[in-house]
Amino acid sequence: MTTMQRKAPAGGPGLEEANAGRRWLHADCATAEPLLQRLDGVQAQGKGWRARCPSCGGRSRKLSIAECGDRVLVHCFGGCRTEDVLAAVGLAFRDLF
């Protein structure tokens, strides 16, 4: 077990100290609408949508978007990072909240 995998001993740093420097994104109500309005080839599929990925391009619908509870799930099957997908249409995470 590496040091990264070991549990903190009792009386160790609190949750705030352990997570210092991490960016946590949380919203009571996130929506995919700002993203969907800027994508090409949007098609409803199951409980979400598929669209062409603005980051990697192409004609196939590689981008999957879904609203799940208070989250917006974005996944490119071409391997693009979510940050890159949002940046390609002029959005950031904060724009979905």
Side-chain angles (χ1 to χ4, degrees), residues 85-96:
V85 172
L86 294 174
V89 293
L91 294 173
F93 281 109
R94 68 179 173 273
D95 298 319
L96 302 179

Side-chain angles (χ1 to χ4, degrees), residues 45-79:
Q45 181 176 5
K47 294 182 180 181
W49 302 269
R50 292 292 292 257
R52 293 184 186 103
C53 178
S55 183
C56 61
R59 295 188 310 183
S60 64
R61 292 180 176 92
K62 298 180 207 172
L63 190 64
S64 174
I65 306 103
E67 293 176 343
C68 182
D70 63 347
R71 300 176 184 182
V72 176
L73 307 176
V74 179
H75 177 76
C76 174
F77 289 94

Side-chain angles (χ1 to χ4, degrees), residues 17-34:
E17 293 170 0
N19 292 321
R22 291 188 182 177
R23 280 184 35 210
W24 295 96
L25 300 172
H26 177 75
D28 292 332
C29 185
T31 178
E33 193 60 34

Side-chain angles (χ1 to χ4, degrees), residues 32-40 42 49 51 65 67 91:
E33 193 60 34
L35 177 59
L36 294 172
Q37 291 175 351
R38 297 174 185 222
L39 294 173
D40 292 326
V42 176
W49 302 269
I65 306 103
E67 293 176 343
L91 294 173

